[in-house]
């Protein structure tokens, strides 16, 4: 090693050049040097913050002095089971499940059409047309819906001109769906959630369907299966990992969102809004931290299940 | 489902559902575009009473709007810069060699976008508080860079995998040293992947809201400005114009990035 080092020194070259050559000959040192910055950033800054947060979920929050003390307690986790907090969790999880179901029902035909029937320019069109709304600004999309759903908005205008005001009113009167107007109804909130995460469902399903070999479908048809049978017994099982992959996004993103519940739909806290108010106006970081453990655990379990279903290969 | 000549034709109901879905996906975006030109002072009346460019000049004369734009651009530029450096280094470390903990590290890169934003947001905020750091420009940048790295990493590692190692060896054989090889062989090959990753990171940072609401302190990025407008509705026409600008600033880099990486398997990919 020292021989090469002196040989290099003889060549008229800068320090950086010698360093670069040294590193090429010592791949382990090179690798270690490369790994230091990402490990510091993700291992220390990011994971460190996550673990610090987890640790704080065991701290005690004093309701009277509004301060956090370092006495360890499980009270924050017990508080999650209190009726009011349990309601928040239940409401959020129900919404996440409903949104996931709706997105897969709406998304599947689109993905199916993209994967099986689109060729050439139409394929490019569909891909860009699904990707663009997925990446378009989140807050702007939510804003667009608050305008669309408002009383002067375009949706009411269309409903009025179609003469469907009566249908709309009875829909809004339905408990569990309704509210005063579309903009303040559960239905409106559900619609916005489904809209916002829909592209996250379409693309993984499309990717999974693309990978189904055409020959399998032909074989199924040759063996006498009707199209619907081929769909049910061949295509759907093979596409299912894609649906699960998409559902990871729709489920996880709905679970953590607090902007949509704040801007669309009736009052009633969501998990995300709970975390936000707890840490913000009240300063109860321990309870907020305990709340964040719920999505972490749920998504952890979900990811494990998804992995067993082969969803990661469909991502 | 016959495929005797070319490819099968879709049943009409399926075609209608697919195009209906596209219509649904683009309807709100079209409405935002339309409302930005809506002459109605209420900003959202449908159908529009007339079309005008007036609100653009008004919006761009507003001090608070300009400040928010300035902050967002500075944050996104800084976060993109950090993400480019970190993403490139991480991809270089992970693409060829197997080592213990490699899977854990690549999982860690995805975690900030796989976990809900509130978790990243509150975790970073409480860590900043523990360290006594005042929320502001740099805390926003740190938050954004954390989830932007994966955008650069995904693009660069896909390109690294297609780059034959023999190219590097050939350069060395021809007398190029490590430094020269990096500069003249490796980096030019990675250039468009870096550019695409950088644009995705910029768009992501420019638009990020949830993590930002935790780490911003009193600073107002453009998405936070918009959120404030929505909770206290006023100046709807100006909000419409800003919304359209945000949409364009986010969408154009995404399209360019897609164009730059359209031949790579893993291009823009996963979620926010």
């Amino acid at each position: 090693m020292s021989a090469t080092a002196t040989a290099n020194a003889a060549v008229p070259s800068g320090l950086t050049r010698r360093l670069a050559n040294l590193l090429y000959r010592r791949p382990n040192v090179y690798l270690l040097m490369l790994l230091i910055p990402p490990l510091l950033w993700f291992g220390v800054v990011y994971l460190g913050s996550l673990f610090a947060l987890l640790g704080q979920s065991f701290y005690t929050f004093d309701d009277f002095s509004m301060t956090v003390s370092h006495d360890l307690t499980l009270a924050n986790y017990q508080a999650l089971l209190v009726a009011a907090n349990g309601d928040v969790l239940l409401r959020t999880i129900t919404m996440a499940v409903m949104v996931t179901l709706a997105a897969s029902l709406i998304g599947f035909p689109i993905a199916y059409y993209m994967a099986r029937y689109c060729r050439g320019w139409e394929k490019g069109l569909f891909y860009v047309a699904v990707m663009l709304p997925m990446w378009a600004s989140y807050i702007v999309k939510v804003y667009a819906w608050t305008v669309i759903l408002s009383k002067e908005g375009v949706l009411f205008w269309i409903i009025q001109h179609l003469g469907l005001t009566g249908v709309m009113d009875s829909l809004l009167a339905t408990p569990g769906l309704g509210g005063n107007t579309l903009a303040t109804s559960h239905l409106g909130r559900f619609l916005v959630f489904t809209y916002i995460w829909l592209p996250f469902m379409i693309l993984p399903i499309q990717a999974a369907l693309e990978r189904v070999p055409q020959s399998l479908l032909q074989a199924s048809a040759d063996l006498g299966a009707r199209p619907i049978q081929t769909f049910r017994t061949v295509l759907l099982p093979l596409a299912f990992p894609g649906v699960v992959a998409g559902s990871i996004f729709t489920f996880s993103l709905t679970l953590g969102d607090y902007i949509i519940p704040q801007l669309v739909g009736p009052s009633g806290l969501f998990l995300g809004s709970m975390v936000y108010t707890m840490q913000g106006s009240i300063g109860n970081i321990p309870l907020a931290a305990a709340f964040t453990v719920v999505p972490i655990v749920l998504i952890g379990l979900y990811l494990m299940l998804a992995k067993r279903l082969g969803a990661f290969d469909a991502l | 489902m016959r495929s005797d000549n070319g490819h099968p034709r879709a049943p009409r109901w399926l075609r209608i559902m697919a195009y209906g879905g596209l219509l649904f996906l683009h309807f709100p975006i079209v409405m935002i575009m339309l409302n930005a030109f809506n002459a109605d002072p209420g900003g959202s009346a449908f159908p529009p009473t007339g079309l005008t460019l007036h609100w653009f000049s008004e919006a761009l004369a507003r001090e608070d709007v300009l400040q928010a734009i300035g902050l967002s651009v500075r944050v996104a530029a800084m976060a993109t810069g950090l993400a480019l450096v970190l993403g490139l280094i991480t991809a270089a470390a992970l693409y060829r060699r197997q080592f213990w903990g490699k899977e854990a590290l690549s999982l860690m890169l995805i975690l900030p976008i796989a976990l809900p934003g509130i978790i990243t947001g509150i975790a970073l905020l409480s860590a900043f508080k523990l360290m006594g750091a005042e929320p502001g420009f740099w805390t926003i940048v740190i938050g954004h860079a954390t989830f932007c790295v994966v955008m650069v990493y995904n693009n660069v590692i896909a390109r690294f995998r297609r780059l034959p190692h023999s190219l590097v060896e050939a350069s060395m054989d021809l007398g190029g040293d490590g430094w020269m090889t990096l500069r003249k062989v490796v980096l030019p090959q990675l250039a468009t992947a870096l550019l695409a990753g950088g644009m995705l990171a910029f768009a992501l940072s420019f638009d990020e809201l949830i993590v930002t609401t935790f780490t911003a302190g009193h600073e107002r990025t453009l998405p936070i400005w918009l959120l404030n407008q929505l909770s206290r509705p006023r100046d709807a026409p100006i909000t419409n114009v800003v919304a359209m600008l945000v949409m364009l600033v986010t969408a154009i880099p995404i399209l360019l990035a897609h164009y730059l990486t359209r031949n790579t398997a893993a291009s823009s990919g996963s979620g926010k």
Side-chain angles (χ1 to χ4, degrees):
Chain A
M1 201 56 226
S2 65
T4 49
T6 37
N8 265 352
V11 181
S13 60
L15 186 67
T16 44
R17 171 168 290 213
R18 268 191 291 158
L19 191 68
N21 284 351
L22 183 76
L23 288 177
Y24 187 78
R25 294 197 191 92
R26 294 220 134 168
N28 282 334
V29 179
Y30 175 62
L31 183 65
L32 196 68
M33 277 186 63
L34 284 177
L35 282 175
I36 288 170
L39 279 179
L40 281 179
W41 193 283
F42 285 92
V44 178
V45 176
Y46 182 66
L47 277 194
S49 313
L50 275 185
F51 281 117
L53 180 69
L54 208 62
Q56 290 183 70
S57 70
F58 297 102
Y59 286 175
T60 306
F61 180 76
D62 188 351
D63 287 322
F64 297 104
S65 60
M66 303 278 269
T67 51
V68 178
S69 68
H70 291 196
D71 306 322
L72 299 184
T73 173
L74 284 173
N76 301 307
Y77 288 95
Q78 284 164 357
L80 291 184
L81 302 172
V82 173
N85 293 338
D87 275 354
V88 171
L89 293 180
L90 196 67
R91 186 181 301 128
T92 313
I93 293 168
T94 311
M95 180 61 92
V97 171
M98 299 303 288
V99 168
T100 300
L101 285 176
S104 54
L105 286 178
I106 304 172
F108 201 98
I110 304 173
Y112 184 62
Y113 182 79
M114 281 173 81
R116 291 251 78 90
Y117 298 108
C118 283
R119 295 291 179 275
W121 66 269
E122 205 184 13
K123 203 173 187 89
L125 169 84
F126 262 82
Y127 190 72
V128 171
V130 173
M131 202 184 64
L132 203 60
M134 168 162 141
W135 282 93
S137 168
Y138 162 85
I139 182 69
V140 172
K141 285 182 288 185
V142 180
Y143 170 56
W145 277 103
T146 63
V147 174
I148 290 169
L149 294 176
S150 74
K151 264 224 144 76
E152 311 84 56
V154 59
L155 216 55
F156 272 91
W157 184 83
I158 294 174
I159 287 167
Q160 261 172 8
H161 280 72
L162 291 175
L164 294 173
T165 318
V167 181
M168 194 68 240
D169 285 344
S170 58
L171 206 58
L172 286 180
T174 313
L177 288 179
N180 291 330
T181 65
L182 259 184
T184 56
S185 67
H186 290 285
L187 188 65
R189 183 183 284 159
F190 166 76
L191 181 70
V192 177
F193 263 128
T194 307
Y195 170 83
I196 299 275
W197 310 135
L198 180 61
F200 292 85
M201 182 63 94
I202 296 176
L203 291 179
I205 300 181
Q206 186 255 352
L209 283 169
E210 288 269 308
R211 267 177 251 162
V212 178
Q214 196 75 39
S215 55
L216 278 184
L217 306 179
Q218 284 165 353
S220 170
D222 287 347
L223 290 168
R226 280 173 289 118
I228 187 79
Q229 279 177 312
T230 305
F231 181 80
R232 257 205 6 253
T233 55
V234 181
L235 203 62
L236 201 56
L238 288 171
F240 195 66
V243 180
V244 178
S247 75
I248 297 172
F249 293 113
T250 56
F251 186 74
S252 153
L253 291 168
T254 312
L255 218 51
D257 194 276
Y258 75 93
I259 306 286
I260 294 173
Q262 180 190 332
L263 294 174
V264 187
S267 56
L269 287 167
F270 262 57
L271 200 158
S273 17
M274 200 73 187
V275 170
Y276 189 71
T277 14
M278 278 298 153
Q279 64 82 31
S281 44
I282 302 171
N284 190 347
I285 295 248
L287 185 57
F291 260 103
T292 61
V293 172
V294 177
I296 294 180
V297 169
L298 280 177
I299 289 161
L301 290 173
Y302 204 107
L303 286 177
M304 263 157 47
L305 186 75
K307 195 168 176 135
R308 291 191 62 173
L309 290 169
F312 287 119
D313 308 322
L315 277 177
Chain B
M1 197 144 320
R2 285 176 304 128
S3 57
D4 330 320
N5 52 351
H7 64 278
R9 272 190 64 79
R12 178 170 299 149
W13 61 268
L14 185 64
R15 182 182 292 261
I16 291 172
M17 280 183 92
Y19 276 93
L22 284 200
L23 204 67
F24 176 56
L25 284 174
H26 287 265
F27 175 61
I29 297 177
V30 172
M31 289 311 293
I32 282 292
M33 301 278 176
L34 183 67
N35 272 338
F37 301 98
N38 194 336
D40 172 59
S44 63
F46 192 88
T49 45
L51 298 177
T52 175
L53 283 171
H54 169 71
W55 306 121
F56 281 82
S57 58
E58 200 145 301
L60 293 175
R62 280 270 295 262
E63 199 55 38
D64 54 339
V65 173
L66 291 178
Q67 271 175 7
I69 293 177
L71 178 64
S72 276
V73 170
R74 275 183 292 133
V75 166
M78 190 57 81
T80 304
L82 278 169
L84 280 172
V85 174
L86 273 172
L88 173 65
I89 292 176
T90 316
L94 296 193
Y95 87 104
R96 237 162 68 88
R97 306 256 320 262
Q98 290 299 327
F99 55 88
W100 184 82
K102 182 175 168 171
E103 288 229 333
L105 185 59
S106 49
L107 177 71
M108 234 172 354
L109 292 171
I110 311 171
L111 219 49
I113 56 169
L115 286 179
I118 44 160
I119 295 172
T120 309
I122 192 177
L124 287 174
L125 174 66
S126 62
F128 292 142
K129 275 187 179 163
L130 286 179
M131 291 184 297
E134 196 60 38
F137 178 77
W138 285 106
T139 55
I140 309 177
V141 169
I142 290 173
H144 285 201
T146 302
F147 54 76
C148 282
V149 173
V150 72
M151 294 293 136
V152 178
Y153 168 82
N154 274 346
N155 274 287
V156 173
I157 201 161
R159 187 64 56 87
F160 257 130
R161 288 192 181 123
R162 290 198 309 165
L163 177 74
H165 196 64
S166 54
L167 229 53
V168 174
E169 279 157 2
S171 161
M172 299 296 230
D173 286 345
L174 291 169
D177 56 26
W179 182 239
M180 194 192 248
T181 308
L182 178 71
R183 250 186 27 224
K184 301 222 160 156
V185 179
V186 180
L187 281 183
Q189 291 284 331
L190 295 179
T192 52
L194 279 169
L195 192 59
M199 280 189 297
L200 289 173
F202 189 92
L204 196 60
S205 163
F206 196 83
D207 181 42
E208 215 292 328
L209 178 61
I210 294 193
V211 176
T212 319
T213 52
F214 285 92
T215 56
H218 298 293
E219 299 281 355
R220 272 203 301 187
T221 62
L222 210 48
I224 292 188
W225 183 90
L226 269 172
L227 180 66
N228 286 343
Q229 291 291 111
L230 301 195
S231 352
R232 283 175 276 112
R234 58 201 156 94
D235 307 330
I238 290 174
T239 312
N240 290 334
V241 170
V242 174
M244 189 176 129
L245 290 179
V246 173
M247 183 100 77
L248 290 178
V249 173
T250 331
I252 291 170
I254 297 292
L255 281 178
L256 284 174
H258 171 64
Y259 176 77
L260 284 172
T261 57
R262 67 197 183 288
N263 297 322
T264 323
S267 56
S268 33
S270 49
K272 299 195 176 185

